[in-house]
Amino acid sequence: MIVGVGIDTVCISELEGMCDDGGAFESYMFSEGERRYASHRLRPCESLAGMLAVKEAVTKAVCTLDPDRWIDMRLIEVEHDVHGAPHVSMKDPLAGYLEGVSVSSVLVSITNEGDFATAIALAQS
């Protein structure tokens, strides 16, 4: 059963400006694996923008399920399968949080168009 949905759009050029700080923002917001994945892409900031949109969308999908609990979106790690399809890593502390709000899986999708990356997240019980 669907228990939450979230969507977010990130402006790629704005994120590029934020990433021009010598790597501090990237280190703060993205895991080592996420940064490594983006660094091997043709347009690294486009990939990071998509992953940031996923983090925001997942937060929106699950954080309304328990108003007394909140999850830091930096703890949401976006990974990709062999075909490049994104998915959310279900390791702790995210796994523990999702278990606490009865979410068994979170499906995500990313699309890029022009200067924008958009992601949707669907939380299921």
Side-chain angles (χ1 to χ4, degrees), residues 27-47:
S27 295
Y28 176 77
M29 187 56 65
F30 299 100
S31 71
E32 183 179 327
E34 291 167 330
R35 294 190 311 271
R36 185 174 42 254
Y37 176 83
S39 72
H40 291 95
R41 308 297 297 167
L42 183 61
R43 295 184 59 204
C45 276
E46 183 177 285
S47 293

Side-chain angles (χ1 to χ4, degrees), residues 19-125:
C19 290
D20 284 342
D21 65 356
F25 175 76
E26 288 180 44
S27 295
Y28 176 77
M29 187 56 65
F30 299 100
S31 71
E32 183 179 327
E34 291 167 330
R35 294 190 311 271
R36 185 174 42 254
Y37 176 83
S39 72
H40 291 95
R41 308 297 297 167
L42 183 61
R43 295 184 59 204
C45 276
E46 183 177 285
S47 293
L48 290 174
M51 289 186 274
L52 181 57
V54 166
K55 292 169 181 274
E56 291 276 6
V58 169
T59 300
K60 292 173 182 176
V62 301
C63 286
T64 58
L65 300 175
D66 184 350
D68 295 330
R69 298 180 69 193
W70 188 257
I71 188 159
D72 187 330
M73 72 177 161
R74 292 173 296 170
L75 303 177
I76 299 166
E77 185 169 8
V78 182
E79 296 178 341
H80 297 81
D81 69 15
V82 295
H83 304 290
H87 63 273
V88 176
S89 173
M90 294 300 189
K91 297 178 257 186
D92 276 327
L94 180 60
Y97 176 86
L98 294 177
E99 183 180 327
V101 293
S102 300
V103 172
S104 60
S105 67
V106 179
L107 303 175
V108 297
S109 184
I110 304 170
T111 187
N112 299 328
E113 183 64 39
D115 196 28
F116 297 95
T118 299
I120 188 166
L122 186 67
Q124 302 180 102
S125 64

